[in-house]
Amino acid sequence: MLTAGAASLMLPLAACTVGPNFVRPTTPTPAHWALPTPSSLPAAPGAAGSAGATGSAAPSESAAEVAAGAGVSLPPLSTISEGPAALAAWWTQFHDPVLSSLIERSVSANLDLRAAVLRIQEARTQRDISAAGGLPTVSANASYDRERISESTPEGALIGSAGKFSIPGFGSLRIPNPYNQYQLGAAASWEPDLFGRLRRSIEAANAQLQVSVEDQHALQVSLLSRVAQSYIALRSAQAREAIASANLATIDDLLDLTRQRRAAGLTTELDVRNALAQLAQTRASLPAFDLQISQSIHALGNLLGLAPEALRAQLASAAPIPPVPPQVPIGLPAQLARRRPDVRQAEASLHAATAQIGVAVGDLFPRLTLSASGGVQSEAANTLLHWSSLFGSVGPGLQLPVFDRGAWKTVHLDNLRAQEAALSYQATVLNALHEVQDAVAAYAADQQQRQWLTDAVAQNRLALSIAQQRYQSGVTDFLDVLDAQRSLQQNQLALLSVTAAVSTDLVTLYRTLGGGWSAAAAAAPAPAQTAANAPVAPASAAIP
C-alpha cells in the first residue's frame, strides 16, 4: 500500500523534465565584412609602348592580348559583395561543364561521403533505441520441465515419505517424484518517465544525430572544394606545359638564327652553346609538368572512388583554367553560423552535451517501474488451460536513490562538458569568421598580383622583340636575347600560377562560406521543438 501510494503521488510528475533547456547560442559577429574597396584594386594594365634601340616605337599589348598569348583566359577584376549568396551549387559560377560533371559525380561516388551517410543511419538507429526505452516491454515464455528432487535432502525425504501416510477418508497422500511441469506465461513492464530522464536521453540522441548530419555536410563541402582545387591544378599544369612547349619553339628559332650568324662569322660558338643550354633547360621542365598533370588526374580519380588512370582519357586534353565570375556575393557575417556545417555541428554538440546534464540529473530522482506477469502452470498438458492453472502478479516497483556520490559527480562532469562545448562553439564561429576574411584578402591580393604580372609579361614580350632586333643588327650580344627570353618564360609561368591561385582562392572562399550543400536547408526555419528534440540550454545555464 505504501508503494502504491507513493506511485500515485509521483504519476502527476510525469510531465516534469529536469535539467536545463536549450537556448540557441549567440556569438557576436561583425555587421559587415572587410571587403577591398575599388580604389584599392589596380586597373587592368595595358602594356605601355616603348622605344627600342632601333628608334622605332614598339607596339603595345592589352591585358587581354597578353593573357591570350600566355594561354590564359583573363577576365576583368572580380569584386566581392555582401549580396545574397547562392552557394548550394557554387561550382556552376565557373561555367566549366567538365568541372561540374566531376563535382556532381563525386557526391555519389566518394567513399568517405558514403561512409558518412552510414554514420547518419547509425545515429538515427541509436536515437530509435533511446526512444524505445519509453515503451513498455512485453515478453512471453513457454517451458516444460521433467524434474526429480533428491531424497537425500530434507525436502526430498519429506516427499519420499509422503506415500507412507494416509488421511482418513482421502486415502494415501502421494507426491510424485520425478514430476512434470508445463508452463505458458507472459510478462510486461513499463517505466514512466517521471522526471524527463528518458526525454533528455532522446533529446541528446537527436542532437547526436544532427552532429552526424552536419559532419556529412562538412565532408561534402570539403570534398567539392578538393575536387575543384585538383581540377584547377590539372588545368594549370597543362597550361604551364603548353607555355614551356611554346618557348621551346621560340628557342629553336633563336638557335637557328645563332647558327646562321656563326656561319656568317657574325658571332661565336659561345652564343650557339648558350642557346643550346637554354633549350635543354626548358626541356628539363617538361617532366615536372607531366608529373603534376598525372598527380592531379590521380587525385581526382581518388576523390571519385576510381582507379588512378580512370580519368586520363577524359582529362588528357588541355583546357583553360576555370575563370572566376565578375561578381561574388557572399552574404553577411551574421548568416555564416546558419550556413557553415562545422558551426552547426558545434551547436548540435552543445545541444547534446547539455541534454546529457538532464539525463544525469534524472538519475538522482526516483524511478517507478510498473510490471505484471502471469500465465498457466500444470503438471499435465491436458490441464494446462484450466482456470485452476492460472497464476499471476502485478504491482509497481520504486527505486529511490538515497546516497550515490558517483551520480552527483556525473552531473558535475556533464556540466563541465557542456561548458567546454559552449567554448568550442564560440571558437568555431570565430575561426569561421577568420577563415572567410582571410579568403577574401587572398582573393583580392592574388588578383592584384595577376594584373601586374599581366603587365610584366607584356613588357617581357616587348623586351624580347627589341633584344632580337638589336641582336640581328649587331648592336648587342646574344646574352641579352637569352635574358629577355628567360624573363618572359618565368613571368609567363608566374602569371599562370597566380591565375590558378585566383580561381583556387575563390574555391577556398566558397568552402569557408559553407557552400556545397543545400542552402535551402540552412535558410529554413528551425523545426518545431518537441519533447524529443527540444533545444538545450547553454552551459552557462546548467545546474552546478
Side-chain angles (χ1 to χ4, degrees):
M1 290 299 294
L2 180 60
T3 302
S8 65
L9 291 174
M10 291 180 181
L11 283 176
L13 300 175
C16 173
T17 303
V18 297
N21 293 319
F22 177 70
V23 176
R24 177 170 288 163
T26 57
T27 299
T29 57
H32 299 281
W33 300 109
L35 301 180
T37 59
S39 60
S40 67
L41 297 176
S50 60
T54 59
S56 60
S60 64
E61 287 186 277
S62 69
E65 290 170 341
V66 173
V72 182
S73 176
L74 181 63
L77 275 173
S78 175
T79 59
I80 298 176
S81 69
E82 293 183 334
L87 301 173
W90 54 260
W91 53 90
T92 59
Q93 300 301 313
F94 290 100
H95 301 290
D96 189 317
V98 177
L99 173 61
S100 296
S101 173
L102 292 172
I103 284 183
E104 290 163 4
R105 289 163 61 188
S106 70
V107 173
S108 59
N110 182 261
L111 299 180
D112 292 335
L113 204 58
R114 290 168 64 183
V117 173
L118 292 178
R119 287 194 292 272
I120 293 176
Q121 296 177 4
E122 292 172 9
R124 183 174 290 114
T125 302
Q126 187 61 51
R127 186 271 314 273
D128 294 341
I129 292 173
S130 298
L135 301 175
T137 59
V138 180
S139 61
N141 62 81
S143 64
Y144 163 75
D145 291 321
R146 175 72 174 174
E147 297 186 13
R148 184 183 188 283
I149 300 177
S150 171
E151 295 184 4
S152 299
T153 63
E155 296 84 357
L158 179 61
I159 292 173
S161 63
K164 302 177 182 179
F165 300 96
S166 61
I167 301 175
F170 292 95
S172 298
L173 178 62
R174 181 177 178 276
I175 300 177
N177 187 25
Y179 63 93
N180 297 324
Q181 179 169 295
Y182 299 86
Q183 178 174 312
L184 295 175
S189 65
W190 175 54
E191 180 185 340
D193 193 20
L194 298 180
F195 299 99
R197 183 185 65 84
L198 176 62
R199 290 191 290 278
R200 291 301 189 196
S201 178
I202 297 174
E203 182 181 341
N206 269 323
Q208 287 295 343
L209 172 59
Q210 189 64 32
V211 169
S212 298
V213 170
E214 300 304 340
D215 177 65
Q216 189 263 343
H217 290 161
L219 278 174
Q220 182 168 320
V221 168
S222 175
L223 167 66
L224 302 190
S225 68
R226 289 164 61 194
V227 171
Q229 289 170 351
S230 297
Y231 180 77
I232 292 170
L234 168 66
R235 295 313 187 194
S236 174
Q238 290 173 332
R240 288 160 66 87
E241 184 180 51
I243 287 294
S245 298
N247 282 324
L248 279 177
T250 301
I251 297 172
D252 270 334
D253 292 340
L254 288 175
L255 179 60
D256 290 341
L257 174 63
T258 305
R259 283 171 172 167
Q260 292 172 8
R261 288 175 59 80
R262 184 196 59 180
L266 299 176
T267 188
T268 65
E269 183 69 16
L270 178 61
D271 287 348
V272 175
R273 296 304 171 185
N274 283 331
L276 287 171
Q278 181 70 8
L279 185 67
Q281 182 181 4
T282 303
R283 283 175 176 165
S285 66
L286 294 177
F289 298 142
D290 287 336
L291 175 61
Q292 293 171 9
I293 291 171
S294 294
Q295 288 176 334
S296 298
I297 291 175
H298 297 166
L300 287 168
N302 189 26
L303 293 172
L304 269 66
L306 301 173
E309 291 290 318
L311 296 174
R312 173 75 68 175
Q314 179 185 355
L315 300 176
S317 299
I321 297 172
V324 297
Q327 291 286 335
V328 181
I330 64 173
L332 295 171
Q335 300 168 339
L336 189 64
R338 302 313 313 151
R339 191 167 54 218
R340 274 190 51 141
D342 59 339
V343 176
R344 294 164 63 91
Q345 185 179 22
E347 180 183 316
S349 296
L350 173 59
H351 190 158
T354 316
Q356 196 62 38
I357 297 174
V359 177
V361 173
D363 285 334
L364 303 177
F365 285 80
R367 298 174 64 172
L368 176 67
T369 303
L370 304 178
S371 59
S373 63
V376 291
Q377 192 177 68
S378 176
E379 289 186 29
N382 58 356
T383 61
L384 186 61
L385 300 181
H386 289 185
W387 180 262
S388 58
S389 299
L390 288 174
F391 71 92
S393 66
V394 62
L398 183 64
Q399 179 182 345
L400 181 64
V402 176
F403 178 78
D404 189 342
R405 180 69 173 171
W408 285 98
K409 285 298 183 181
T410 300
V411 175
H412 181 62
L413 176 62
D414 288 333
N415 190 12
L416 293 175
R417 287 172 175 168
Q419 294 179 41
E420 182 182 356
L423 292 176
S424 177
Y425 174 83
Q426 296 176 18
T428 303
V429 174
L430 184 61
N431 181 67
L433 294 170
H434 278 272
E435 285 187 352
V436 173
Q437 201 62 73
D438 288 346
V440 168
Y443 190 55
D446 283 337
Q447 286 195 85
Q448 292 183 33
Q449 186 179 5
R450 180 189 63 180
Q451 297 301 101
W452 293 120
L453 278 172
T454 300
D455 191 46
V457 169
Q459 301 297 343
N460 286 143
R461 287 172 182 261
L462 289 173
L464 177 60
S465 176
I466 293 171
Q468 288 174 330
Q469 293 175 19
R470 289 168 61 86
Y471 179 63
Q472 289 176 338
S473 302
V475 177
T476 187
D477 58 28
F478 188 63
L479 289 180
D480 290 341
V481 179
L482 289 181
D483 287 341
Q485 172 63 33
R486 195 177 296 117
S487 296
L488 173 61
Q489 181 174 347
Q490 289 174 350
N491 282 335
Q492 282 179 321
L493 295 177
L495 176 59
L496 282 170
S497 296
V498 77
T499 301
V502 170
S503 295
T504 302
D505 290 339
L506 183 56
V507 172
T508 301
L509 178 57
Y510 283 135
R511 177 186 61 78
T512 61
L513 291 170
W517 65 286
S518 176
Q529 301 296 337
T530 65
N533 66 2
V536 184
S540 59
I543 66 172

